[in-house]
Amino acid sequence: MVKLFRLSSSLLGRHFFSKSLLSSSLIRTTEYLNYPCSSAFAGRFHTHKVLAMAETTSSSSSSHSHTNRLSAEHSPYLLQHAHNPVNWYPWGEEAFAEARRRDVPIFLSIGYSTCHWCHVMEVESFEDEEVARLLNDSFVSMKVDREERPDVDKVYMTFVQALYGGGGWPLSVFLSPDLKPLMGGTYFPPEDKYGRPGFKTILRKVKDAWFSNRDMLVKSGAFAIEQLSEALSASASSKTLPDELPQNALRLCAEQLSQSYDSQYGGFGSAPKFPRPVEIQMMLYHSKKLDDAGNYSESKKVLQMVLLTLQCMARGGIHDHIGGGFHRYSVDERWHVPHFEKMLYDQGQLVNVYLDAFSITNDVFYSSLSRDILDYLRRDMIGPEGEIFSAEDADSAEHEGAKKKKEGAFYTWTSQEIDDSLGEHSTLFKDCYYVKPLGNCDLSRMSDPHDEFKGENVLIELTDTTALARKYGLPLEKYLDILGECRQKLFDVRSIRPRPHLDDKVIVSWNGLAISSLARASKILMGEAEGTKYNFPVVGCDPKEYMNAAEKAASFIRRHLYNEQTRRLEHSFRNGPSKAPGFLDDYAFLISGLLDLYEVGGGIHWLVWATELQDKQDELFLDREGGGYFNTPGEDPSVLLRVKEDHDGAEPSGNSVSAINLIRLASMMTGSKSEYYRQNAEHLLAVFESRLKDMAMAVPLMCCAAAMISVPSHKQIVLVGHKSSLEFDNMLAAARASYDPIRTVIHIDPTDDEEMEIWEGNNSNIALMARNNFAADKVVALVCQNFTCSPPVTDPRSLKALLLKKHSSAV
């Protein structure tokens, strides 16, 4: 349960830090990072006696017994601790200098504002006067928001993972005054329990060790950082991948995932179950490759794994049936009882995989789930200037004025509450969502082992709606209408409950994921059948509204988090930009979103900005000799590790996304610029050759990138015509109607001089095609490979038919 390093150097022996051992350890344990808090606490534990977390915004010191330096910060997480009796410092030189002056170790606590176990440790330990005295007397204590400073988090999480085989938040690490890690763990209870030391005991032991055995501790910490730095500085002697590796990696990843597939409830792996959209993306792409190769039965088998997973997730409690969107993960195998926080990075990625499923199946079930998530974002997570916020907490007060907060209080229902709210339709609704008088968290022994949700219901669909409609003698459409009306009523009831804390920090990388999904939805959802009906919480808006939201979010980042002179991004925004610079993920994810924004009909300026950001990303992060991208610019001496991240977990890695971005850009350009992008992508993938070969399951999106770059030439769809017409929108929708991850859409208006000039400079073939195929009253589409094109078509149905032909016959 408790993670504590021994106060000796034995754990830091050379056997722990051989490159091969460290690499495999990181692969094996990185999934712990998917847990929203401590990986040791993925299951349910009693928390009903835990008091509420600190207020999320600071107020005047006169209303608090204590105020520390965090009260001047903007991060919601740091502000939650601004009135602890612990004398917290934010990460920075003031704290480092104080530790050197006092000659004491640093206690570093890393978490984030919607982390349940971070709240627990705060209430149990950081609000405790005795703990505060121990910390204040013998340490300099620092708080870091891991979402604000992922670079700092990465250093010490890597250390904890490498030495102990797991990690999570809150992360608790002891450092020397020069920031070398000495020992650490995750969540610590305040007192000794179950034969394990509590936080107070640990503080006393670290204090004693610092004064009695300091030299050994400091040398061990320095050695650990040296070994980690060497192990994580991957480089490639070759700048290309072996010919057979890309397809083998894709196949190996699919095989490894298939072995862990849950054929009963969907998903890959056992409880606790995470959505992991990168795995779904990879399986969809693998299915497409099998289909293209004529292996239809195997393709269908892989596709069915994905579709069952998406269906079970949508019907489970991990999906918020009342307000839309998805919670972080489920603690049981049935996707039923979730950890209730909602993260923006999950929403953005899940929209895209549901959109892909709709493109493949044309089933409105999947398109409505995409809308469900996007409408949740538009309702609850988008600010006044179009900025998209980061997360909503798992915990909230059970009623106004309550001194306690409880996980899931905002989302769960008693049977009586539903009766009181729904009246005559109560029985019908409860039948659909498995609502029971004594509570419904009984489907798995893992759902609620300590009766934390006794008497409460987490809504889950267990029975097919068609069968239930028959049971009540209703036409299916009428039955669904009634359910929608019920959800609307419960939404209104829920809206007067105390809301979970909203982390209104704006993170560039996560906004990039959301921009991608909003943009793609604006065209893919035009493929829904005319007259398609939706029920609450889906709004059923014109898909163009999603495009407007995508452009507003991108514009916010350009205005507030981008320096036009230096062409650099900042990482996050809350009451102004944070102190942290943009990291690799910020550039890579935003570039991906901008490419999607352009391809679905956005202005050429989005593509130009994407190329400018790619140039700056190469300048700041690219290892031109060794290949691949570092996660930080390497300009902050307090960040001890500069890592080339490769793991595709809860979020894709910056290197995986960058490889795909480079491949996409190479397919749009010609000449030396195209070759430059392609060579960088191939060199990047060569850096991670051993991972692709041996542990493909750890890098599913990178497997896709490797397979994409192995395709000799990609398919381009070039649309020529005036862009302000309905015909143009319909042709764009046709271009996105079928699933094809390596398709590039380029659109151009030959009467736009600026646009023509841009293409003349980057791809003169496009400009020539535009001039030769322009018709004032039509939109002309050409399907090309290596810019050798099929005869032009001028209506969406013809374009769809052309794109559905096999790859080899399209030219």
Side-chain angles (χ1 to χ4, degrees), residues 365-381:
F365 174 86
Y366 302 105
S367 63
S368 66
L369 262 295
S370 299
R371 286 180 176 271
D372 170 290
I373 301 167
L374 293 176
D375 290 347
Y376 154 66
L377 293 181
R378 292 167 68 228
R379 185 186 299 118
D380 292 336
M381 298 294 285

Side-chain angles (χ1 to χ4, degrees), residues 450-487:
H450 301 291
D451 293 329
E452 193 174 348
F453 295 108
K454 188 174 182 179
E456 300 287 331
N457 291 273
V458 178
L459 303 183
I460 180 172
E461 295 180 64
L462 296 181
T463 307
D464 178 66
T465 50
T466 304
L468 285 172
R470 283 198 302 268
K471 174 181 175 180
Y472 287 92
L474 294 169
L476 179 60
E477 185 173 331
K478 176 64 176 174
Y479 176 77
L480 295 176
D481 286 345
I482 292 172
L483 286 178
E485 291 165 8
C486 290
R487 289 193 295 266

Side-chain angles (χ1 to χ4, degrees), residues 544-583:
K544 288 180 182 177
E545 294 187 32
Y546 297 134
M547 184 67 167
N548 292 337
E551 294 197 304
K552 283 182 179 179
S555 296
F556 179 90
I557 292 171
R558 178 125 199 178
R559 283 195 309 275
H560 295 287
L561 288 162
Y562 180 67
N563 186 311
E564 296 282 355
Q565 282 70 48
T566 63
R567 296 189 172 181
R568 285 192 173 206
L569 291 168
E570 303 293 334
H571 172 63
S572 64
F573 181 98
R574 187 175 189 271
N575 300 326
S578 68
K579 300 168 188 174
F583 303 112

Side-chain angles (χ1 to χ4, degrees), residues 64 121 228 270 276 434 474 537 543 551 612 616 647 662 689 707 757 773 775 802:
H64 298 277
M121 191 166 178
L228 286 168
S270 56
R276 296 190 180 102
Y434 188 60
L474 294 169
E551 294 197 304
E612 290 173 353
K616 182 57 65 172
H647 178 74
L662 291 166
E689 178 182 337
E757 184 179 347
N773 291 278
L802 191 58

Side-chain angles (χ1 to χ4, degrees), residues 371 375 378 521-523 525-526 528 534 539-548 726 729:
R371 286 180 176 271
D375 290 347
R378 292 167 68 228
S522 73
K523 290 301 178 290
L525 294 179
M526 288 177 67
E528 292 173 318
Y534 306 98
V539 174
C541 66
D542 186 325
K544 288 180 182 177
E545 294 187 32
Y546 297 134
M547 184 67 167
N548 292 337
L726 178 60
D729 271 353

